[in-house]
Amino acid sequence: MSSEQTPDPASPAAEEAEPRPARVTAVAAIAALEGLALVVGGAWMLVEGLTGHPDDRTAAVTGGITLIVLALLPLLAARGLLRLRGWSRGPAVITQIVALPVAYNMAGADSLAVPAGVVLGVAALTALYLLINPETTLALGIRGPGNAGK
């Protein structure tokens, strides 16, 4: 088949032909917000580690850099989801699965982390629900087991 008969999936015409479902946009927004929160938290740890008086400066700087690097996973997943790329569902699901125990630990703390943990837990469960929804999998072009040729 020629390129005239089959539009390029990355072309604007292909994006207009199949609008992105609201569920995919919502889960992309959740992943992007989680990524941005990791960047902000990592930057805060890094700045505090470099300018403040932490107990262990090396651990604070390493923790900050680690959080910033970890932010790449949900941010890349969000970008892929917005572009309806099937590969993006995997990193998005991994991000939510990792977020659940973090949310649990935050919700069990005796500090202001409790409301943040509850919000993170609700966001992660909502994102997981949206990611496994049949409308989302269809929009991302993901076929179930045994349906590769269909």
Side-chain angles (χ1 to χ4, degrees), residues 7-100:
D8 180 18
S11 72
E15 290 179 9
E16 290 174 13
E18 296 180 28
R20 182 175 50 246
R23 293 172 190 265
V24 176
T25 304
V27 75
I30 291 171
L33 287 173
E34 290 169 339
L36 290 174
L38 284 169
V39 169
V40 168
W44 179 76
M45 281 181 70
L46 189 58
V47 168
E48 284 293 315
L50 293 173
T51 62
H53 301 289
D55 293 335
D56 186 358
R57 185 173 309 276
T58 304
V61 170
T62 303
I65 292 170
T66 301
L67 284 180
I68 292 170
V69 171
L70 285 174
L72 290 174
L73 187 65
L75 291 174
L76 288 173
R79 184 171 188 229
L81 287 166
L82 287 174
R83 293 176 173 218
L84 297 178
R85 303 292 193 252
W87 61 262
S88 61
R89 190 172 88 153
V93 168
I94 291 168
T95 299
Q96 306 318 314
I97 290 172
V98 169
L100 287 173

